[in-house]
Amino acid sequence: MTATVWTNATVVTCDPQNTVADAVAFDGGRIVAVGREDEVRSSVGPGGEVVDLDGATVLPGLIDTHPHLMHFGALAEPLVDITDATSQREIAGRVARRAAEVPAGEWIMTTPVGEPHYFLRRSYRDLAEGTLPDRTTLDRAVPRHPVFIQAWAPVTPNLCAMNSMALERLGITRDTPDRVENVWVEKDEIGEPTGRLRGSVTNYYSDSEFMNDLLRRMPVLQGDALVPGTERAMQTANQLGVTTIYEGHLMAFSLIEVYRWMRNEGRLTTRVLCSPEAETFGVPWSEPPLDLDDYVARLARAEALVDHSDEMFRIDGVTVSRYGPCGPGFILMRDPYLGPYGEVTTGRSFVSPDKIEAAIRHCDQHDLRLNVVTAGTAEGDHLLDQLEALKHRPATTDGRSWVLQNFYFADPDRVRRVAALGLAVTTSMSFSWGKGELVRQRFGEHLLEDLIPLARLAEAGIHVGCGTDWGPKNVFEQIALAVEPRYADGGPAKTDGVNPRQALAHWTDQAAHVLAWEGIGSLQPGHHADLVVVDRNPLRCRVEELAETQVIATVLAGEIVAGQLT
């Protein structure tokens, strides 16, 4: 045996006994021993590599159950990155540098300014000028290329900006109305467009056919960005300690085939579980709604793809959804609430209830795992009614629980019903952190105590896996938010936190249970050698220090994929 042995460490195994060891050994991509250093050395015998970790902590590779890595990576890949720009001059300089690299007339597009995905800690408002540059500023920097500074969902209303060539390409002139639907075309004192558009101008879930038409006429989605963008996003996830992802939302069949190709080419740096979406919506290039026969055909197509035999890439189940996000006023609620422009709404259903019913029947009859993206009180209660009508726990014959994804508003009765049905849950502390103030303003303070109540779910015995939702984020900040839930303004949340072991479990052994993927999520002999070396013990450090945890190295199947060990 030529095992690698890590010693002088705190090894948090996340096994059923909550074992904490001081050494771990792995060989051939598998864990071969965990325990006291003398026991581990003895079990593997002489030879191999011994690495002294100098007191660092070893954790199981982290599992992100809702990252949207491919979506985020592919959309961001071709863009000029201005997320950290501090002024309009800096933005102009960056787009000018890109213009020098590409032929005249080619689109130059940028990210938004600020921190994705909610842009609460920083946004375009924090530029020195307090807003995005207008067409005049952009024209001086880039006169021969159309320029588009994007606005990303889920923030509504939002702001985007263009230069004169972009306005001309898109047919936006002084004759364009000042307001089209919920898009406001900003104009100067003589009536000419300034290049800035406000309102429902996000890259998806804009709910504006006018804006969607503009987006379809720009190269927002670029096929050749899929692989490099996904690789870049995976590398960032690796640097944050992530070794497994669950791509279970908005995954078109074609995107899953890209992941399959990457697996076959040896280009995955995380394990990937995919679940195809029966019907996608919300993006400018979405297909028209399917009729029921075509919808059921999609369910059968998903059934034919199920494969959990591979160690790196798996497909399991089918995903269905009815609603969109809170920001644009799409979430389906029992009680009326305020939309982004002060209008009263109860939300919007993108997929009809009879299609969800058809999915439930199909999955129950064909032993197919069902994943339902559900958040609002109205569609959540309707869904539970439909599932309870089965008169038995919905799961596959081999025990893989059906999954509720997101699950924003979990009052005690809804939690009781979910537990009785044996459903698993994926959710994100980003939702309560990022949407807390929005819920307070539009839905009412009383709902804050039901917004991502992890402790309530844990007390009910529900298996919960956590995720970042849209792009790689600091997992250890997410773990800290699980221990002490807070809103983006720094104030404490209205829900109770869980203990550090439970918080870590939502990214390790609990998440592995939700994915029904054996051999990940804990460090035990025979399990995959997916490990993360960090500079502190998340079970022992102060919660204020958790978010500052530094990943020293990430190991997938026994090989370092991020960082290094010296």
Side-chain angles (χ1 to χ4, degrees):
M1 181 177 292
T2 57
T4 297
V5 182
W6 288 354
T7 65
N8 189 17
T10 299
V11 183
V12 179
T13 66
C14 296
D15 70 1
Q17 293 75 40
N18 292 324
T19 302
V20 177
D22 57 22
V24 59
F26 51 92
D27 184 39
R30 296 277 180 171
I31 303 292
V32 295
V34 185
R36 295 201 317 265
E37 180 177 340
D38 58 342
E39 295 174 335
V40 171
R41 283 178 177 268
S42 175
S43 67
V44 301
E49 180 185 15
V50 177
V51 180
D52 186 326
L53 293 185
D54 193 26
T57 295
V58 180
L59 307 173
L62 303 175
I63 302 166
D64 191 330
T65 64
H66 204 111
H68 287 285
L69 278 194
M70 181 172 283
H71 300 115
F72 181 88
L75 288 171
E77 179 67 16
L79 307 182
V80 177
D81 186 355
I82 62 169
T83 54
D84 61 346
T86 60
S87 67
Q88 293 182 6
R89 179 179 179 180
E90 190 172 351
I91 293 171
R94 293 188 191 184
V95 295
R97 284 193 290 275
R98 175 64 63 86
E101 300 170 354
V102 299
E106 186 171 311
W107 278 92
I108 296 174
M109 300 187 299
T110 82
T111 69
V113 174
E115 181 192 46
H117 189 224
Y118 300 105
F119 300 93
L120 292 170
R121 281 191 279 228
R122 193 167 179 280
S123 74
Y124 65 85
R125 297 176 182 86
D126 296 294
L127 292 171
E129 301 82 0
T131 191
L132 292 177
D134 63 11
R135 64 178 174 85
T136 303
T137 300
L138 293 173
D139 287 348
R140 284 197 296 266
V142 185
R144 299 192 303 146
H145 299 74
V147 176
F148 177 47
I149 299 176
Q150 295 196 28
W152 285 356
V155 181
T156 306
N158 214 317
L159 178 70
C160 65
M162 308 176 199
N163 69 350
S164 294
M165 185 174 285
L167 292 172
E168 182 181 353
R169 288 265 184 101
L170 298 174
I172 299 174
T173 69
R174 64 181 298 117
D175 297 325
T176 304
D178 294 355
R179 177 180 178 179
V180 184
E181 300 163 357
N182 281 324
V183 176
W184 284 260
V185 179
E186 184 181 278
K187 296 181 180 177
D188 61 21
E189 63 277 3
I190 62 171
E192 293 293 336
T194 67
R196 291 187 286 247
L197 275 59
R198 302 178 185 274
S200 297
V201 296
T202 51
N203 60 339
Y204 62 98
Y205 287 131
S206 71
D207 198 32
S208 165
E209 187 50 38
F210 172 71
M211 190 64 203
N212 283 341
D213 178 65
L214 298 182
L215 291 167
R216 284 191 289 265
R217 291 155 64 189
M218 292 183 276
V220 175
L221 183 65
Q222 299 182 23
D224 58 2
L226 275 168
V227 172
T230 303
E231 287 181 322
R232 191 184 302 273
M234 279 190 168
Q235 289 161 7
T236 303
N238 294 152
Q239 292 162 6
L240 298 169
V242 174
T243 56
T244 300
I245 61 171
Y246 177 32
E247 295 279 48
H249 186 205
L250 299 180
M251 288 301 295
F253 289 95
S254 58
L255 298 182
I256 292 175
E257 291 309 310
V258 174
Y259 268 127
R260 188 195 302 278
W261 181 87
M262 292 178 69
R263 164 53 173 147
N264 292 339
E265 294 294 313
R267 300 176 75 159
L268 295 181
T269 60
T270 67
R271 303 184 196 278
V272 180
L273 173 66
C274 289
S275 176
E277 191 100 16
E279 182 170 10
T280 57
F281 53 84
V283 295
W285 43 88
S286 293
E287 300 173 354
L290 300 171
D291 62 34
L292 189 55
D293 288 342
D294 288 338
Y295 187 81
V296 172
R298 290 277 184 95
L299 300 174
R301 183 178 177 187
E303 179 187 347
L305 286 178
V306 171
D307 181 2
H308 10 93
S309 62
D310 192 83
E311 293 184 350
M312 287 296 297
F313 171 66
R314 297 184 175 186
I315 305 172
D316 193 14
V318 68
T319 299
V320 299
S321 178
R322 285 182 61 192
Y323 79 103
C326 300
F330 292 166
I331 189 171
L332 291 165
M333 298 295 286
R334 195 167 42 226
D335 300 319
Y337 64 94
L338 295 178
Y341 306 106
E343 74 281 16
V344 176
T345 183
T346 55
R348 177 175 171 183
S349 181
F350 288 87
V351 175
S352 61
D354 62 325
K355 288 181 179 176
I356 305 299
E357 179 67 33
I360 291 171
R361 289 197 308 270
H362 183 95
C363 290
D364 186 48
Q365 294 168 5
H366 294 264
D367 202 28
L368 181 62
R369 195 180 202 200
L370 181 63
N371 309 276
V372 186
V373 184
T374 181
T377 54
E379 46 111 13
D381 287 343
H382 189 197
L383 170 68
L384 293 174
D385 289 343
Q386 292 173 306
L387 294 175
E388 287 166 347
L390 294 174
K391 303 299 182 184
H392 59 263
R393 281 192 167 197
T396 61
T397 54
D398 60 0
R400 301 193 319 281
S401 302
W402 288 8
V403 182
L404 299 184
Q405 298 184 26
N406 291 356
F407 199 40
Y408 292 178
F409 297 109
D411 65 27
D413 182 63
R414 200 169 291 114
V415 169
R416 176 193 59 77
R417 297 172 71 186
V418 169
L421 287 164
L423 299 169
V425 166
T426 69
T427 193
S428 176
M429 295 312 297
S430 289
F431 299 149
S432 54
W433 179 88
K435 301 176 190 287
E437 185 57 28
L438 183 150
V439 169
R440 188 196 311 276
Q441 292 175 354
R442 297 194 196 170
F443 298 82
E445 179 111 10
H446 65 287
L447 279 178
L448 288 174
E449 64 185 26
D450 298 328
L451 181 61
I452 321 297
L454 278 187
R456 185 180 293 166
L457 298 172
E459 289 167 4
I462 296 170
H463 293 288
V464 179
C466 280
T468 52
D469 193 38
W470 204 258
K473 293 183 177 70
N474 179 356
V475 173
F476 292 95
E477 181 178 24
Q478 301 289 309
I479 293 172
L481 288 169
V483 177
E484 287 190 1
R486 307 189 75 79
Y487 303 131
D489 64 3
K494 300 291 185 180
T495 55
D496 292 331
V498 296
N499 65 49
R501 173 64 184 94
Q502 290 172 308
L504 180 60
H506 296 313
W507 290 88
T508 55
D509 50 317
Q510 281 274 319
H513 187 281
V514 172
L515 269 58
W517 195 322
E518 294 183 358
I520 63 173
S522 61
L523 303 179
Q524 304 179 62
H527 280 205
H528 292 292
D530 299 351
L531 312 96
V532 184
V533 183
V534 295
D535 67 347
R536 67 200 70 186
N537 183 349
L539 305 186
R540 298 296 182 189
C541 70
R542 294 187 304 131
V543 68
E544 297 83 10
E545 300 172 343
L546 250 177
E548 305 305 318
T549 300
Q550 296 297 305
V551 174
I552 299 168
T554 302
V555 170
L556 175 71
E559 301 292 333
I560 292 179
V561 291
Q564 61 181 354
L565 298 175
T566 56

